[in-house]
Amino acid sequence: MTSTTPDTSAGLDWAKQRGMGALSEKMGIEWVEFTVDRCVATMPVEGNTQPVGLLHGGAYVVLGESLGSMAANLFAGSGRLAVGIDINATHTRSATSGIVTGVCTPIHLGRSLTVHEIAVSDEQGRRCSTIRITNLIKDAPAR
């Protein structure tokens, strides 16, 4: 699949077929929408908290990296592989219950690098964390 594919259901089907990996599954991350231009996933706060009951900062980053890396791999297309080379996060609010939603949009989609921003918000629509991930696109290893 490449960035010229107009079928929005194809991206979500691709993501579900590929799977999200054991860590994302353990954290309860679920895909909602998946295209090259916008990816959305949710994650429960319960089970992903710090000892004081706040959503763990690392949980925000797992959600962001799951979205950004999968989006980069969808863009990379068949025979290519996107791998994360840089990630950063700024947490601006604490979620304590319910679910959070990550919305991933591309900042740069290049031949060898992608950069995505992931905005994570609580159920009231308040931004809790902003994550930026850079992925390197390379040829996939021979199987």
Side-chain angles (χ1 to χ4, degrees):
M1 173 156 302
T2 65
S3 61
T4 59
T5 303
D7 183 2
T8 58
S9 65
L12 189 55
D13 291 343
W14 175 87
K16 288 180 178 179
Q17 181 180 21
R18 182 170 181 156
M20 64 181 69
L23 178 59
S24 295
E25 290 173 7
K26 285 180 185 178
M27 296 184 73
I29 296 173
E30 294 185 14
W31 300 127
V32 175
E33 180 181 334
F34 210 88
T35 68
V36 169
D37 296 321
R38 178 181 156 95
C39 300
V40 180
T42 61
M43 181 178 66
V45 172
E46 185 176 344
N48 295 313
T49 58
Q50 308 172 341
V52 296
L54 306 176
L55 183 62
H56 195 289
Y60 288 115
V61 177
V62 170
L63 177 59
E65 184 157 5
S66 297
L67 279 162
S69 291
M70 287 288 286
N73 275 285
L74 178 64
F75 173 75
S78 181
R80 306 207 62 213
L81 177 66
V83 294
I85 59 171
D86 181 65
I87 191 164
N88 66 67
T90 302
H91 310 308
T92 51
R93 179 176 289 277
S94 298
T96 57
S97 64
I99 63 166
V100 293
T101 301
V103 178
C104 174
T105 54
I107 295 171
H108 172 76
L109 296 174
R111 184 178 51 80
S112 60
L113 287 177
T114 64
V115 180
H116 288 85
E117 178 184 78
I118 301 89
V120 182
S121 301
D122 64 14
E123 290 179 312
Q124 290 75 42
R126 300 174 297 194
R127 189 177 291 215
C128 298
S129 186
T130 303
I131 299 112
R132 186 181 57 86
I133 184 170
T134 302
N135 280 279
L136 172 69
I137 298 176
K138 61 184 191 171
D139 291 334
R143 292 185 186 229

CSV table of all heavy atoms in Angstrom, one decimal, residues 58-91:
chain,number,residue,atom,x,y,z
A,58,GLY,N,5.2,6.7,30.0
A,58,GLY,CA,5.7,5.7,29.0
A,58,GLY,C,4.5,5.1,28.2
A,58,GLY,O,4.7,4.7,27.1
A,59,ALA,N,3.3,5.0,28.8
A,59,ALA,CA,2.2,4.5,28.1
A,59,ALA,C,1.8,5.4,27.0
A,59,ALA,O,1.4,5.0,25.9
A,59,ALA,CB,1.0,4.3,29.1
A,60,TYR,N,1.9,6.7,27.2
A,60,TYR,CA,1.6,7.7,26.1
A,60,TYR,C,2.6,7.4,25.0
A,60,TYR,O,2.2,7.5,23.8
A,60,TYR,CB,1.8,9.1,26.6
A,60,TYR,CG,0.8,9.7,27.5
A,60,TYR,CD1,1.1,10.0,28.8
A,60,TYR,CD2,-0.5,9.9,27.1
A,60,TYR,CE1,0.1,10.6,29.7
A,60,TYR,CE2,-1.5,10.5,27.9
A,60,TYR,CZ,-1.1,10.8,29.2
A,60,TYR,OH,-2.1,11.3,30.1
A,61,VAL,N,3.8,7.2,25.3
A,61,VAL,CA,4.9,7.0,24.3
A,61,VAL,C,4.6,5.7,23.5
A,61,VAL,O,4.8,5.6,22.3
A,61,VAL,CB,6.3,7.1,24.9
A,61,VAL,CG1,7.4,6.8,23.9
A,61,VAL,CG2,6.5,8.4,25.6
A,62,VAL,N,4.2,4.6,24.2
A,62,VAL,CA,3.9,3.4,23.5
A,62,VAL,C,2.8,3.6,22.5
A,62,VAL,O,2.8,3.1,21.4
A,62,VAL,CB,3.6,2.3,24.5
A,62,VAL,CG1,3.0,1.0,23.8
A,62,VAL,CG2,4.8,1.9,25.3
A,63,LEU,N,1.7,4.3,23.0
A,63,LEU,CA,0.6,4.6,22.0
A,63,LEU,C,1.1,5.4,20.8
A,63,LEU,O,0.8,5.1,19.7
A,63,LEU,CB,-0.5,5.4,22.8
A,63,LEU,CG,-1.7,5.8,21.9
A,63,LEU,CD1,-2.4,4.6,21.3
A,63,LEU,CD2,-2.7,6.6,22.8
A,64,GLY,N,2.0,6.4,21.1
A,64,GLY,CA,2.5,7.3,20.0
A,64,GLY,C,3.4,6.5,19.1
A,64,GLY,O,3.3,6.6,17.9
A,65,GLU,N,4.3,5.7,19.6
A,65,GLU,CA,5.2,4.9,18.8
A,65,GLU,C,4.4,3.9,18.0
A,65,GLU,O,4.7,3.6,16.8
A,65,GLU,CB,6.3,4.3,19.6
A,65,GLU,CG,7.3,3.6,18.6
A,65,GLU,CD,8.7,3.4,19.2
A,65,GLU,OE1,8.9,3.7,20.4
A,65,GLU,OE2,9.6,2.9,18.5
A,66,SER,N,3.4,3.3,18.6
A,66,SER,CA,2.6,2.3,17.9
A,66,SER,C,1.9,2.9,16.7
A,66,SER,O,2.0,2.4,15.5
A,66,SER,CB,1.6,1.7,18.8
A,66,SER,OG,2.2,1.0,19.9
A,67,LEU,N,1.4,4.1,16.9
A,67,LEU,CA,0.7,4.8,15.8
A,67,LEU,C,1.7,5.3,14.7
A,67,LEU,O,1.5,5.1,13.5
A,67,LEU,CB,-0.1,6.0,16.3
A,67,LEU,CG,-1.5,5.7,16.9
A,67,LEU,CD1,-2.0,6.8,17.8
A,67,LEU,CD2,-2.5,5.4,15.8
A,68,GLY,N,2.7,6.0,15.2
A,68,GLY,CA,3.7,6.6,14.2
A,68,GLY,C,4.5,5.5,13.4
A,68,GLY,O,4.7,5.7,12.2
A,69,SER,N,4.9,4.5,14.1
A,69,SER,CA,5.7,3.5,13.3
A,69,SER,C,4.8,2.7,12.4
A,69,SER,O,5.2,2.4,11.2
A,69,SER,CB,6.3,2.5,14.3
A,69,SER,OG,7.3,3.1,15.0
A,70,MET,N,3.6,2.4,12.8
A,70,MET,CA,2.7,1.7,11.8
A,70,MET,C,2.3,2.6,10.7
A,70,MET,O,2.2,2.1,9.5
A,70,MET,CB,1.4,1.2,12.6
A,70,MET,CG,1.7,0.0,13.5
A,70,MET,SD,2.0,-1.5,12.6
A,70,MET,CE,0.3,-1.9,12.0
A,71,ALA,N,2.1,3.9,10.9
A,71,ALA,CA,1.8,4.8,9.8
A,71,ALA,C,2.9,4.9,8.9
A,71,ALA,O,2.7,4.9,7.7
A,71,ALA,CB,1.4,6.2,10.4
A,72,ALA,N,4.1,4.9,9.4
A,72,ALA,CA,5.3,5.0,8.5
A,72,ALA,C,5.5,3.7,7.7
A,72,ALA,O,5.9,3.8,6.5
A,72,ALA,CB,6.6,5.2,9.4
A,73,ASN,N,5.2,2.6,8.3
A,73,ASN,CA,5.2,1.3,7.5
A,73,ASN,C,4.2,1.2,6.5
A,73,ASN,O,4.4,0.7,5.4
A,73,ASN,CB,5.2,0.1,8.5
A,73,ASN,CG,6.5,-0.2,9.0
A,73,ASN,OD1,7.4,-0.8,8.3
A,73,ASN,ND2,6.8,0.2,10.3
A,74,LEU,N,3.0,1.8,6.7
A,74,LEU,CA,1.9,1.8,5.7
A,74,LEU,C,2.4,2.7,4.5
A,74,LEU,O,2.3,2.3,3.4
A,74,LEU,CB,0.6,2.4,6.3
A,74,LEU,CG,-0.5,2.5,5.3
A,74,LEU,CD1,-1.0,1.2,4.7
A,74,LEU,CD2,-1.7,3.2,6.0
A,75,PHE,N,3.0,3.8,4.9
A,75,PHE,CA,3.5,4.7,3.8
A,75,PHE,C,4.6,4.1,3.0
A,75,PHE,O,4.7,4.2,1.8
A,75,PHE,CB,4.0,6.1,4.4
A,75,PHE,CG,4.6,7.0,3.5
A,75,PHE,CD1,3.9,7.7,2.5
A,75,PHE,CD2,6.0,7.1,3.5
A,75,PHE,CE1,4.6,8.5,1.6
A,75,PHE,CE2,6.7,7.9,2.6
A,75,PHE,CZ,6.0,8.6,1.6
A,76,ALA,N,5.5,3.4,3.7
A,76,ALA,CA,6.7,2.8,3.1
A,76,ALA,C,6.3,1.8,2.0
A,76,ALA,O,7.0,1.8,1.0
A,76,ALA,CB,7.6,2.1,4.2
A,77,GLY,N,5.3,1.1,2.2
A,77,GLY,CA,4.8,0.2,1.2
A,77,GLY,C,5.5,-1.2,1.2
A,77,GLY,O,6.5,-1.4,2.0
A,78,SER,N,5.1,-2.0,0.3
A,78,SER,CA,5.6,-3.4,0.2
A,78,SER,C,7.1,-3.4,-0.1
A,78,SER,O,7.6,-2.7,-0.9
A,78,SER,CB,4.9,-4.1,-0.9
A,78,SER,OG,5.3,-5.4,-1.0
A,79,GLY,N,7.8,-4.3,0.6
A,79,GLY,CA,9.2,-4.5,0.4
A,79,GLY,C,10.1,-3.5,1.1
A,79,GLY,O,11.3,-3.5,1.0
A,80,ARG,N,9.5,-2.6,1.9
A,80,ARG,CA,10.2,-1.6,2.6
A,80,ARG,C,9.8,-1.7,4.1
A,80,ARG,O,8.8,-2.2,4.4
A,80,ARG,CB,10.0,-0.2,2.1
A,80,ARG,CG,10.3,-0.2,0.6
A,80,ARG,CD,10.7,1.1,-0.1
A,80,ARG,NE,12.0,1.5,0.5
A,80,ARG,CZ,12.2,2.8,0.6
A,80,ARG,NH1,11.4,3.7,0.2
A,80,ARG,NH2,13.4,3.2,1.1
A,81,LEU,N,10.7,-1.2,5.0
A,81,LEU,CA,10.4,-1.3,6.4
A,81,LEU,C,10.8,0.1,7.0
A,81,LEU,O,11.8,0.6,6.7
A,81,LEU,CB,11.3,-2.4,7.0
A,81,LEU,CG,11.3,-2.6,8.5
A,81,LEU,CD1,10.0,-3.1,8.9
A,81,LEU,CD2,12.4,-3.6,8.9
A,82,ALA,N,9.9,0.6,7.9
A,82,ALA,CA,10.1,1.8,8.7
A,82,ALA,C,10.5,1.4,10.1
A,82,ALA,O,9.8,0.6,10.7
A,82,ALA,CB,8.9,2.7,8.6
A,83,VAL,N,11.6,2.0,10.6
A,83,VAL,CA,12.1,1.7,11.9
A,83,VAL,C,12.3,3.1,12.6
A,83,VAL,O,12.8,4.0,12.1
A,83,VAL,CB,13.4,0.9,12.0
A,83,VAL,CG1,13.1,-0.5,11.5
A,83,VAL,CG2,14.5,1.5,11.2
A,84,GLY,N,11.9,3.1,13.9
A,84,GLY,CA,12.0,4.4,14.7
A,84,GLY,C,13.4,4.7,15.0
A,84,GLY,O,14.2,3.8,15.4
A,85,ILE,N,13.8,6.0,14.8
A,85,ILE,CA,15.1,6.4,15.1
A,85,ILE,C,15.2,7.5,16.1
A,85,ILE,O,16.2,7.9,16.7
A,85,ILE,CB,16.0,6.8,13.9
A,85,ILE,CG1,15.3,7.9,13.1
A,85,ILE,CG2,16.2,5.6,13.0
A,85,ILE,CD1,16.1,8.5,11.9
A,86,ASP,N,14.0,8.2,16.4
A,86,ASP,CA,13.9,9.2,17.4
A,86,ASP,C,12.5,9.4,17.8
A,86,ASP,O,11.6,9.3,17.0
A,86,ASP,CB,14.4,10.6,16.8
A,86,ASP,CG,14.4,11.7,17.8
A,86,ASP,OD1,15.1,11.6,18.8
A,86,ASP,OD2,13.6,12.6,17.6
A,87,ILE,N,12.3,9.6,19.1
A,87,ILE,CA,10.9,9.8,19.6
A,87,ILE,C,11.1,10.8,20.8
A,87,ILE,O,12.0,10.7,21.6
A,87,ILE,CB,10.2,8.5,20.0
A,87,ILE,CG1,8.7,8.8,20.3
A,87,ILE,CG2,10.9,7.8,21.2
A,87,ILE,CD1,7.9,7.6,20.3
A,88,ASN,N,10.1,11.7,20.9
A,88,ASN,CA,10.1,12.5,22.1
A,88,ASN,C,8.6,12.8,22.5
A,88,ASN,O,7.7,12.7,21.6
A,88,ASN,CB,10.9,13.8,21.9
A,88,ASN,CG,10.3,14.7,20.9
A,88,ASN,OD1,9.2,15.3,21.1
A,88,ASN,ND2,11.0,14.9,19.8
A,89,ALA,N,8.4,13.1,23.7
A,89,ALA,CA,7.0,13.4,24.2
A,89,ALA,C,7.0,14.5,25.2
A,89,ALA,O,7.9,14.7,26.0
A,89,ALA,CB,6.5,12.1,24.9
A,90,THR,N,6.0,15.3,25.1
A,90,THR,CA,5.7,16.4,26.1
A,90,THR,C,4.3,16.1,26.7
A,90,THR,O,3.3,16.1,26.0
A,90,THR,CB,5.8,17.8,25.5
A,90,THR,OG1,7.0,17.9,24.8
A,90,THR,CG2,5.5,18.8,26.5
A,91,HIS,N,4.3,15.9,28.0
A,91,HIS,CA,3.0,15.6,28.7
A,91,HIS,C,2.5,16.9,29.3
A,91,HIS,O,3.2,17.6,30.1
A,91,HIS,CB,3.2,14.5,29.8
A,91,HIS,CG,4.0,13.3,29.3
A,91,HIS,ND1,3.6,12.6,28.2
A,91,HIS,CD2,5.1,12.7,29.8
A,91,HIS,CE1,4.4,11.6,28.0
A,91,HIS,NE2,5.3,11.6,29.0
